[in-house]
Amino acid sequence: MTRQRALVYIHIAAVLFGLTGVFGELIQASAALITLGRAVFAVVALLGFSRLQRKPLFTSLTPAQLFMLIVAGCLLAGHWVTFFISVKVGGIAVATLGFASFPAFITLFEGLLFREKVRLAEWLVLGLVTLGLILVTPSFDLADQGTVGLAWGILSGLSFALLALSNRRSTVGLDAMQVACGQNIVVVLAMLPFAASQLPQLAGIDLFWIVLLGVFCTGLSHYLFVSSLTKLNARTAGLVIALEPVYAIAFAWVLFSQQPSLRMIAGAVLIVTAIVWSGLRKTAH
């Protein structure tokens, strides 16, 4: 692995992350069924990548590690379900920008749950995200589908922030690929009661899209992300991954003619700026 290859890997991972909303738009199935299928094929892909690396994914877990993996897996399931609902209700760009609010929630929760002092710069990050979301909001009327979609996207960002904080404990002593595989197995088990009855109605083309979503946008993207960190520091990786909303908006514009307004673009700039700034500060700290 060279630094140049690592940079290629991390950019491909960012593009694949950005494509998630595209598959959510393409697949004509419920958010629960998409989440179930995504997790199933992600597990298959991660098992394949672990064999390529000759790295065992299943090791003995302490009760505390198992508990935290279950909690994190349930949060991941909630994050994906709310994100795909947001895509179907409000569109790809709105959903992705709503989800991108997660740094603001992390800042709040770190102060509330971990009693960490919230510094002025972190309040500025929170302010940038809030202002960005105000600009992105189509209208302040819950009868507007775009506004409802944004609300679901923000809920997706909230659940992702809780997932990120729970990973502080669930990842201790575990390889990142092990954590990803374990959490996806929990997602499968959590979603089966809600989505199993819908499997017979799943169209062949939708199954094809779900396979691509699970293998490429989940399994492969995670493998590329983790692999790139062997040569890149977290700051560089974070800067590239912060481009995910940009890729998502571009895909929505080109593939589905979901053209963003100038106000939405301004909001996106503020939110992406907040993500980059937050990532830089965390890495430096």
Side-chain angles (χ1 to χ4, degrees), residues 70-253:
I70 293 173
V71 171
C74 291
L75 288 170
L76 179 60
H79 161 58
W80 281 349
V81 168
T82 50
F83 178 77
F84 288 126
I85 292 176
S86 179
V87 169
K88 292 187 175 298
V89 174
I92 299 170
V94 165
T96 305
L97 291 173
F99 151 69
S101 65
F102 71 88
F105 289 115
I106 290 178
T107 296
L108 288 175
F109 288 139
E110 282 178 337
L112 294 173
L113 301 179
F114 294 96
R115 304 296 182 185
E116 295 182 3
K117 184 179 179 181
V118 180
R119 297 171 177 80
L120 176 60
E122 291 165 334
W123 284 114
L124 290 175
V125 168
L126 181 60
L128 283 174
V129 171
T130 303
L131 181 57
L133 290 174
I134 291 173
L135 291 174
V136 169
T137 304
S139 68
F140 296 96
D141 183 0
L142 290 178
D144 189 315
Q145 270 200 317
T147 302
V148 175
L150 180 63
W152 280 107
I154 294 172
L155 187 57
S156 175
L158 169 63
S159 56
F160 185 81
L162 291 172
L163 171 64
L165 293 174
S166 72
N167 278 339
R168 280 188 174 191
R169 296 192 177 183
S170 64
T171 59
V172 174
L174 295 176
D175 179 78
M177 297 283 281
Q178 291 176 317
V179 173
C181 190
Q183 290 178 356
N184 275 280
I185 290 172
V186 173
V187 172
V188 172
L189 296 176
M191 299 311 302
L192 271 174
F194 302 99
S197 62
Q198 303 172 35
L199 286 171
Q201 286 79 45
L202 185 65
I205 186 62
D206 290 328
L207 176 60
F208 174 71
W209 295 133
I210 289 175
V211 171
L212 295 184
L213 172 65
V215 172
F216 290 98
C217 295
T218 313
L220 177 59
S221 60
H222 193 89
Y223 168 75
L224 294 174
F225 178 76
V226 172
S227 298
S228 70
L229 292 178
T230 61
K231 289 295 180 181
L232 302 178
N233 58 36
R235 176 180 300 186
T236 301
L239 285 172
V240 177
I241 295 300
L243 295 173
E244 178 192 347
V246 178
Y247 288 127
I249 292 172
F251 288 136
W253 192 345

Side-chain angles (χ1 to χ4, degrees), residues 34-55:
I34 296 173
T35 299
L36 172 61
R38 178 182 190 178
V40 167
F41 291 106
V43 170
V44 172
L46 288 168
L47 289 173
F49 294 132
S50 70
R51 293 203 58 164
L52 288 175
Q53 293 183 319
R54 298 182 180 179
K55 181 187 298 183

